[in-house]
Amino acid sequence: MTRKDRAVELFKKGYNCAQSVFVAYADRYGMDMEMALKVSGSFGGGMGRMREVCGCVSGMLMVAGMETAQIKEHDSKAKAHNYEIVQKMAERFKEKSGGSIICRELLGLEKPEGTYIPDKRTDEYYKKRPCIMMIQNACDVIDEFFDE
């Protein structure tokens, strides 16, 4: 099973989009599933269902952090490199996903739904939401930037 397939499977099991993307890659960094789920858990639905930055993008950029984040004090070169990768990955995601990294725009919403309660995952839900495609796009971008 590919990491992209694993991410889709996780989403279909009820995990949010950020969790689905991040958890599919977390073992590469020695992180167990429970820790990865906790770290990424608040970023689904565009950050706690506020419909801001897409959770798939957040999960994707968490992987970027695991790959390139600054870990030494005052390492501005490493910080700049990480930010460069983040911006390039976000641009690539936009190219693949209709020009945005904002959840509400990707979902075609005028504004957030105004509730923190997630929608039930039904066949209708999957038909009207592009989330699986966004998860796949995020995984494709990760794989383009960080080949195993």
Side-chain angles (χ1 to χ4, degrees):
M1 175 180 292
T2 67
R3 291 187 186 278
K4 180 166 52 173
D5 292 339
R6 174 81 171 125
V8 170
E9 176 186 73
L10 288 162
F11 187 73
K12 288 181 176 179
K13 287 182 176 182
Y15 295 107
N16 73 42
C17 46
Q19 289 174 312
S20 299
V21 172
F22 186 63
V23 169
Y25 292 84
D27 66 294
R28 283 166 77 164
Y29 314 107
M31 187 177 289
D32 67 47
M33 185 171 175
E34 183 177 341
M35 179 64 73
L37 287 167
K38 289 178 178 182
V39 167
S40 57
S42 297
F43 295 90
M47 301 193 177
R49 211 164 183 274
M50 293 186 290
R51 305 300 186 205
E52 296 297 334
V53 174
C54 171
C56 301
V57 173
S58 294
M60 177 182 80
L61 298 181
M62 286 179 202
V63 172
M66 296 301 289
E67 292 283 341
T68 67
Q70 170 194 353
I71 57 172
K72 295 180 181 164
E73 295 177 7
H74 308 294
D75 189 349
S76 59
K77 185 176 178 182
K79 185 185 295 185
H81 175 67
N82 173 251
Y83 291 172
E84 176 186 17
I85 296 299
V86 164
Q87 290 183 22
K88 286 180 177 179
M89 290 179 81
E91 273 307 307
R92 185 69 184 114
F93 182 88
K94 284 181 189 179
E95 289 169 11
K96 295 174 80 57
S97 304
S100 183
I101 62 168
I102 303 301
C103 177
R104 71 180 161 277
E105 293 172 3
L106 295 168
L107 295 178
L109 302 173
E110 294 292 317
K111 58 183 179 157
E113 294 95 332
T115 179
Y116 55 86
I117 299 170
D119 294 335
K120 295 226 184 288
R121 302 275 181 90
T122 63
D123 288 339
E124 268 313 299
Y125 174 93
Y126 291 114
K127 286 179 189 172
K128 71 178 182 176
R129 298 283 179 158
C131 303
I132 288 175
M133 183 177 74
M134 298 304 146
I135 288 167
Q136 292 170 328
N137 290 347
C139 292
D140 286 343
V141 173
I142 291 168
D143 293 344
E144 286 174 28
F145 279 78
F146 309 114
D147 202 6
E148 279 191 81

